Amino acid sequence: MEQTKGSLTVVSGFSGAGKGTIMKALLKKYESYCLSVSCTTRKPRPHEVDGKDYFFISQDEFDARIERGEFLEYARYVDHSYGTPLPWVEEKVKEGRDVLLEIEAQGAAIVKKKRPDTIMLFVVTPDAKTLVQRLTGRGTETKEVIAERLEQATREIDRISSYDMLIVNDDLDAAVERVHNAIQTLKYSPIRQADFLSDFRKDLIGEREKL
Amino acid sequence: MEQTKGSLTVVSGFSGAGKGTIMKALLKKYESYCLSVSCTTRKPRPHEVDGKDYFFISQDEFDARIERGEFLEYARYVDHSYGTPLPWVEEKVKEGRDVLLEIEAQGAAIVKKKRPDTIMLFVVTPDAKTLVQRLTGRGTETKEVIAERLEQATREIDRISSYDMLIVNDDLDAAVERVHNAIQTLKYSPIRQADFLSDFRKDLIGEREKL
């Protein structure tokens, strides 16, 4: 009787809260994690590797996969489409890997609906002032863009209640440990251990009959 | 802007899974934890200390507290009553303590209803066979009692889905760490950080106006 080991985690967060940096550090520090690789219909750039950066597929193949329900979530833009391949994710989870998927709140809600055992993490700065500082610090954002990011963050705050965990990124190392602890804890919640509990129930009845 | 630090955790589990031992070890290892002290109308036994083992109160006082809604949960037996004092628990949580309350599944559901931010942990043995071994190992239980405990465990399995976390007690030290990690992780879930998030929202709007 084994507990389920693999997991799928969605990581959302304020633009500027440092999701990407946390995930990069997490992948470097612990072997069990892997990033979800998306499918895209756009052409690979010179340095990009198929199956590592993206799965590069044709629009026909993309549409066929939509038909077969093979995307956890997907988005169609004017020129290209992007999607998260469900069979690939399921295979990695079955292998015992902790799959990470960086995605905004709307996409996260779709993933959660398809896989209710998805762990949902939301990364925030310690406070609003720090968020402004980080966005300003990039040096590339205009005042208008920063204002838009703050409005977006205000809207996102109202969606955080559907997340399992709030990750405050006050310090990179601490935030990485928080994400790691959250995933390693939450994957043993009862809703994620349904098989283990159902086996346990059968065994309890068996043991009682043996008495 | 501060995150909420204190917490209330309900610990339930199979009879024989080792809840009591885990909690004792947890209290010894980390300072932030304290056990909830119940009120009772029975007389103190020689070694018992008021305010430590129990709060010893009269039946009139007990009934008055029920009237005032001052119990998180309570039970009346033929001779005596027992109850968990809500104001005491709230004071400890406000002080930043992690309050532990050992209680069976039915009582736990009542506590959760009164305080939806309660962390719910359920302790199980690694498998059914180990549960039988531990119950047999006590040497004090008849076959009938063990059969009854197994039936009870089977009923409890069906209530575990309302718990936040399943704690498998395969090894005492590991189980203590699992409980500790679960509490220190779950207390930062969004539903338990409502004040922090509401302050954050206000500050985001303030920062935007300052731009």
Side-chain angles (χ1 to χ4, degrees):
Chain A
M1 222 173 79
E2 280 284 322
Q3 292 191 73
T4 305
K5 293 240 162 54
S7 63
L8 170 64
T9 299
V10 146
V11 182
S12 306
F14 295 153
S15 172
K19 304 183 280 296
T21 316
I22 292 173
M23 283 163 76
K24 213 180 269 177
L26 187 67
L27 287 163
K28 210 174 157 184
K29 192 164 177 186
Y30 299 104
E31 277 190 356
S32 71
Y33 298 97
C34 66
L35 271 189
S36 167
V37 177
S38 296
C39 296
T40 181
T41 59
R42 75 159 168 75
K43 292 275 162 291
R45 292 177 191 138
H47 63 283
E48 288 178 337
V49 179
D50 185 50
K52 195 188 157 216
D53 297 297
Y54 287 97
F55 293 108
F56 296 98
I57 62 177
S58 68
Q59 190 65 55
D60 282 352
E61 173 63 19
F62 198 96
D63 293 340
R65 291 193 187 188
I66 293 177
E67 278 299 307
R68 297 200 296 268
E70 283 180 18
F71 287 121
L72 251 178
E73 53 81 46
Y74 65 91
R76 285 165 169 282
Y77 299 99
V78 181
D79 290 333
H80 303 298
S81 304
Y82 292 86
T84 305
L86 181 57
W88 185 90
V89 168
E90 283 181 337
E91 195 190 305
K92 292 287 169 189
V93 171
K94 209 171 274 175
E95 286 170 14
R97 304 297 297 271
D98 295 309
V99 181
L100 303 172
L101 177 58
E102 188 182 332
I103 200 171
E104 37 57 69
Q106 245 166 322
I110 292 168
V111 171
K112 181 74 180 174
K113 212 170 169 181
K114 269 223 171 146
R115 274 193 71 120
D117 63 345
T118 303
I119 295 171
M120 309 264 288
L121 307 183
F122 198 97
V123 181
V124 299
T125 48
D127 48 42
K129 208 173 164 181
T130 310
L131 185 62
V132 175
Q133 281 165 356
R134 290 200 195 157
L135 290 169
T136 314
R138 287 178 174 180
T140 53
E141 320 284 36
T142 62
K143 198 174 273 190
E144 286 68 36
V145 169
I146 293 173
E148 167 49 33
R149 294 271 185 270
L150 293 182
E151 268 180 61
Q152 191 189 328
T154 312
R155 288 193 301 272
E156 283 173 337
I157 280 259
D158 300 327
R159 307 192 77 146
I160 292 183
S161 59
S162 64
Y163 281 76
D164 292 305
M165 205 60 57
L166 186 69
I167 305 290
V168 176
N169 185 13
D170 45 2
D171 169 270
L172 179 61
D173 288 339
V176 168
E177 281 310 291
R178 274 178 210 129
V179 170
H180 176 63
N181 285 335
I183 294 172
Q184 299 311 319
T185 297
L186 289 169
K187 71 192 205 186
Y188 297 109
S189 68
I191 61 154
R192 298 181 183 100
Q193 294 295 333
D195 291 345
F196 173 79
L197 288 170
S198 135
D199 288 349
F200 208 125
R201 199 182 194 289
K202 270 180 237 152
D203 286 0
L204 278 171
I205 294 167
E207 288 295 331
R208 204 189 158 275
E209 280 164 3
K210 275 199 267 170
L211 281 180
Chain B
M1 223 173 78
E2 280 285 319
Q3 285 184 264
T4 304
K5 293 241 161 56
S7 65
L8 170 63
T9 299
V10 148
V11 183
S12 306
F14 295 153
S15 171
K19 304 182 281 296
T21 317
I22 292 173
M23 283 164 76
K24 214 181 267 178
L26 188 67
L27 288 162
K28 211 174 156 184
K29 192 164 178 188
Y30 299 104
E31 276 189 358
S32 71
Y33 297 97
C34 67
L35 270 190
S36 167
V37 178
S38 296
C39 296
T40 181
T41 58
R42 76 159 167 76
K43 292 277 161 288
R45 289 173 194 142
H47 62 283
E48 289 179 336
V49 179
D50 185 51
K52 196 188 156 215
D53 297 296
Y54 287 97
F55 292 108
F56 297 98
I57 61 177
S58 68
Q59 190 65 56
D60 282 353
E61 174 62 21
F62 198 96
D63 294 339
R65 292 194 185 186
I66 294 177
E67 278 298 307
R68 297 199 298 267
E70 284 179 18
F71 288 121
L72 251 178
E73 54 81 45
Y74 64 90
R76 286 164 169 284
Y77 299 99
V78 181
D79 290 333
H80 303 299
S81 304
Y82 293 86
T84 305
L86 181 57
W88 184 91
V89 167
E90 283 181 338
E91 196 190 306
K92 291 288 169 188
V93 172
K94 209 171 273 174
E95 286 171 13
R97 303 299 296 273
D98 295 308
V99 181
L100 303 172
L101 176 59
E102 188 182 334
I103 201 170
E104 37 57 69
Q106 245 168 323
I110 293 168
V111 171
K112 181 74 179 175
K113 212 169 171 184
K114 270 224 168 143
R115 276 194 69 121
D117 62 346
T118 303
I119 295 170
M120 310 265 287
L121 307 183
F122 198 97
V123 181
V124 299
T125 48
D127 49 43
K129 206 174 165 181
T130 310
L131 185 61
V132 175
Q133 281 165 356
R134 290 202 194 156
L135 290 169
T136 314
R138 286 178 174 180
T140 54
E141 322 283 36
T142 62
K143 197 173 271 189
E144 286 68 35
V145 170
I146 293 173
E148 166 50 33
R149 294 268 184 273
L150 293 181
E151 269 179 60
Q152 192 189 327
T154 313
R155 288 193 301 271
E156 283 173 337
I157 281 259
D158 300 326
R159 307 192 76 148
I160 292 184
S161 59
S162 63
Y163 281 74
D164 293 304
M165 205 61 58
L166 186 69
I167 306 289
V168 175
N169 185 14
D170 45 2
D171 168 90
L172 179 61
D173 289 338
V176 168
E177 281 312 290
R178 275 178 210 131
V179 170
H180 176 63
N181 285 336
I183 295 172
Q184 299 310 318
T185 297
L186 290 170
K187 70 191 205 186
Y188 298 109
S189 69
I191 60 152
R192 298 183 183 99
Q193 295 293 332
D195 291 345
F196 173 80
L197 287 169
S198 136
D199 289 350
F200 208 125
R201 199 181 195 289
K202 270 180 237 152
D203 287 359
L204 279 170
I205 294 166
E207 288 294 331
R208 203 188 159 276
E209 280 164 2
K210 274 199 268 171
L211 280 179

